[in-house]
């Protein structure tokens, strides 16, 4: 109980060096070039570079100049419509994102990206974000409200320890999904062969 008392909650504005979002315009999809992702391109298996739009080098450089090109260690957070899809960027591949995704760049002195990603997915933190949604046609959380969302912030070594455990749990869940999908395929194949 004593260690619980030392874990404080901290607003994202104090945890992150950068909190921004993607472009506020949609560049032309050329079908080739630099990946351009939206909320639909974040799934349970990560970022879908295969099914996303592709933009020109010039459009990418414009997005990058406007801080709309995430880099390794950034945390992507869906903020328009479906609030709370989270992905920690773990690639060096260049890409840009639409404004439906927030880009959070943790201050690495005090926060671990993977830990932050896990915390943003917890029911308590998600509830804070959902409560701050506004708008009528498309409900969204604006950046100034996202910055006020608070996350627990234990020491950096403790964050890294917790993130490692949660990463292992995610890997086990992913493996379980693969096994179940394989068993389902096997069942269908046996059924077709038998009947």
């Amino acid at each position: 109980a004593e260690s619980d008392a030392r874990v404080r909650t901290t607003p994202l504005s104090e945890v992150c060096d950068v909190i921004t979002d993607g472009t506020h315009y949609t560049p032309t999809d050329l079908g080739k070039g630099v990946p351009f992702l939206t909320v639909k391109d974040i799934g349970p298996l990560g970022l879908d570079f295969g099914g996303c739009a592709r933009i020109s080098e010039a459009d990418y450089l414009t997005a990058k100049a406007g801080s709309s090109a995430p880099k390794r260690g950034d945390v992507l957070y869906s903020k328009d419509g479906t609030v709370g899809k989270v992905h920690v960027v773990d690639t060096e591949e260049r890409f840009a994102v639409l404004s439906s995704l927030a880009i959070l760049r943790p201050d690495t002195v005090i926060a671990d990206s993977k830990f932050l990603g896990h915390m943003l997915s917890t029911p308590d933190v998600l509830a804070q974000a959902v409560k701050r949604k506004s708008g009528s046609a498309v409900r969204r959380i604006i950046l100034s409200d996202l910055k006020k969302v608070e996350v627990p912030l234990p020491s950096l070594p403790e964050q890294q320890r917790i993130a490692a455990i949660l990463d292992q749990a995610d890997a086990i869940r992913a493996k379980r999904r693969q096994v179940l999908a394989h068993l389902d395929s096997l069942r269908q194949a046996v059924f077709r062969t038998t009947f």
Side-chain angles (χ1 to χ4, degrees):
E2 187 177 313
S3 63
D4 292 340
R6 288 185 271 150
V7 177
R8 68 187 197 286
T9 59
T10 306
L12 288 174
S13 61
E14 294 178 23
V15 174
C16 298
D17 289 333
V18 173
I19 298 178
T20 189
D21 57 10
T23 65
H24 288 254
Y25 63 94
T26 304
T28 303
D29 181 1
L30 301 176
K32 62 180 181 176
V34 181
F36 184 77
L37 281 66
T38 66
V39 172
K40 73 170 182 55
D41 301 309
I42 297 180
L45 301 177
L47 301 178
D48 180 10
F49 289 115
C52 70
R54 298 281 173 160
I55 61 174
S56 70
E57 183 71 19
D59 282 335
Y60 167 74
L61 292 173
T62 300
K64 184 177 179 182
S67 297
S68 297
K71 59 185 188 178
R72 181 184 284 276
D74 286 352
V75 180
L76 301 180
Y77 189 80
S78 64
K79 64 180 194 63
D80 293 3
T82 301
V83 169
K85 285 175 92 174
V86 177
H87 179 76
V88 179
V89 178
D90 58 357
T91 180
E92 296 293 339
E93 183 164 353
R94 300 178 321 143
F95 68 99
V97 298
L98 188 65
S99 62
S100 56
L101 291 169
I103 303 167
L104 293 83
R105 188 164 299 145
D107 175 349
T108 57
V109 172
I110 62 167
D112 178 78
S113 294
K114 289 182 178 183
F115 175 82
L116 181 59
H118 286 295
M119 289 304 101
L120 287 169
S121 299
T122 62
D124 290 345
V125 175
L126 180 58
Q128 288 181 62
V130 168
K131 274 196 252 183
R132 295 176 186 278
K133 284 172 70 171
S134 61
S136 54
V138 177
R139 307 255 313 144
R140 63 178 47 97
I141 182 169
I142 59 174
L143 292 178
S144 60
D145 287 336
L146 182 59
K147 291 175 182 179
K148 297 174 187 172
V149 170
E150 294 189 348
V151 294
L153 201 66
S155 70
L156 191 56
E158 182 67 2
Q159 290 176 48
Q160 292 163 338
R161 186 186 74 76
I162 292 168
I165 292 168
L166 295 174
D167 284 348
Q168 286 177 339
D170 285 349
I172 291 168
R173 277 192 291 274
K175 186 56 103 177
R176 181 176 179 264
R177 280 192 298 268
Q178 287 177 335
V179 168
L180 291 175
H182 180 69
L183 288 173
D184 193 44
S185 298
L186 183 62
R187 181 179 346 145
Q188 290 174 14
V190 168
F191 183 78
R192 275 184 293 221
T193 304
T194 306
F195 300 100

